Amino acid sequence: NLKPHQVFVCPGNHDLDWNAQDTSLRWGEYAAFLNTVFPEKFHAEDAACFGGVQICEEAGVLVLSLNSEMKVHNQTKDKTRGDISQAQLVWAKKQLEEISPERRREYIKVAMVHHHPILLPTLAEPNRGYDAIDGAQHLLTLLHAYGFHLLLHGHKHYPHTFHESVRNAFEQADDHALVVVAGGTCGSCGLPDKAGATQVYNRIRIHWNAHQGSTRIQVVTRGLVRHETGGRDLLGPEWHW
């Protein structure tokens, strides 16, 4: 029974044709998907602007969704690394500026992007170097500047929750830390060779008191249970969340 304004999506690196050079071929199927969910008309040629700022008034939530797949091409170093261009961030900033600071402050503010903007040691993979989003420093600066509370991403198939409050020592800032949630994967069999790796999903509760400037965020990660206590495999029909 969800309405379109209550649904928030961002594309992942398997939502486009990695091998196609033509933009309409690369993004045609994903644009068609968006057009079945949302009343706006999306065109493959506008892929860099898929997402943007969306507000759900009844939930008091402002969501910024950005497309980090624009440079993803097969057989290149960017196949597994996302990017956020400065042009995309200027476009996002313009949308945020169209909302008055007083009204903007009232919302719980959530950003979504597919690729990881910060590479934690446990997310590093052999032979990939530092493969966080190209342009992540500008993305994080923008999110802090506009008081975002939460940043959601996927891609690495291994869930993490942490605070990001890194600052250039020359900057003066008094905003709150940004909570970053790496969502793992709910449906992929491509799990990393790491302890406890399994399919997961998150349930996230956010309380934001705009008057006091206080935030409480609870992230509950629910993993698919495939083994008994002691390590014995469960049979398929016995798997449970």
Side-chain angles (χ1 to χ4, degrees), residues 1-222:
N1 295 322
L2 289 175
K3 296 179 174 58
H5 73 280
Q6 298 171 313
V7 177
F8 311 100
V9 300
C10 70
N13 59 311
H14 290 279
D15 290 322
L16 73 157
D17 186 335
W18 291 3
N19 296 301
Q21 297 297 319
D22 182 82
T23 302
S24 61
L25 294 177
R26 281 169 58 81
W27 289 103
E29 291 189 12
Y30 188 75
F33 156 71
L34 292 177
N35 289 331
T36 66
V37 178
F38 301 100
E40 302 92 339
K41 288 302 175 187
F42 292 87
H43 303 282
E45 294 76 10
D46 302 322
C49 297
F50 286 166
V53 173
Q54 186 177 340
I55 292 173
C56 181
E57 293 286 359
E58 60 266 39
V61 174
L62 179 155
V63 176
L64 170 62
S65 172
L66 291 169
N67 184 354
S68 63
E69 324 301 321
M70 294 306 296
K71 290 185 179 179
V72 172
H73 284 87
N74 205 6
Q75 306 303 323
T76 73
K77 65 181 178 61
D78 293 316
K79 176 180 176 180
T80 58
R81 182 178 187 180
D83 81 288
I84 298 291
S85 70
Q86 293 189 26
Q88 285 175 287
L89 295 177
V90 168
W91 168 70
K93 184 177 180 179
K94 181 179 179 181
Q95 293 180 74
L96 291 167
E97 285 294 326
E98 290 174 352
I99 306 168
S100 71
E102 297 77 18
R103 181 169 168 237
R104 199 168 58 226
R105 179 176 172 80
E106 294 294 322
Y107 293 120
I108 294 169
K109 290 170 283 293
V110 180
M112 299 195 312
V113 64
H114 174 68
H115 289 89
H116 48 291
I118 300 168
L119 183 64
L120 299 175
T122 46
L123 295 179
E125 297 177 79
N127 303 316
R128 287 196 177 180
Y130 186 79
D131 62 349
I133 286 175
D134 186 12
Q137 72 277 22
H138 301 301
L139 168 64
L140 295 170
T141 297
L142 180 139
L143 297 182
H144 280 289
Y146 286 89
F148 275 75
H149 302 96
L150 185 67
L151 171 59
L152 306 177
H153 74 82
H155 192 55
K156 284 291 190 177
H157 295 192
Y158 200 50
H160 279 77
T161 300
F162 61 98
H163 288 83
E164 189 280 322
S165 56
V166 178
R167 290 290 177 278
N168 180 318
F170 294 106
E171 294 180 1
Q172 295 183 359
D174 57 1
D175 61 305
H176 50 74
L178 179 67
V179 176
V180 183
V181 178
T185 178
C186 186
S188 174
C189 294
L191 298 173
D193 184 19
K194 299 180 186 292
T198 187
Q199 286 80 7
V200 301
Y201 68 92
N202 291 321
R203 294 194 67 179
I204 303 174
R205 296 173 183 264
I206 307 173
H207 179 269
W208 162 237
N209 187 316
H211 178 69
Q212 296 181 348
S214 63
T215 312
R216 293 199 306 271
I217 299 177
Q218 179 194 50
V219 181
V220 178
T221 299
R222 295 184 173 180

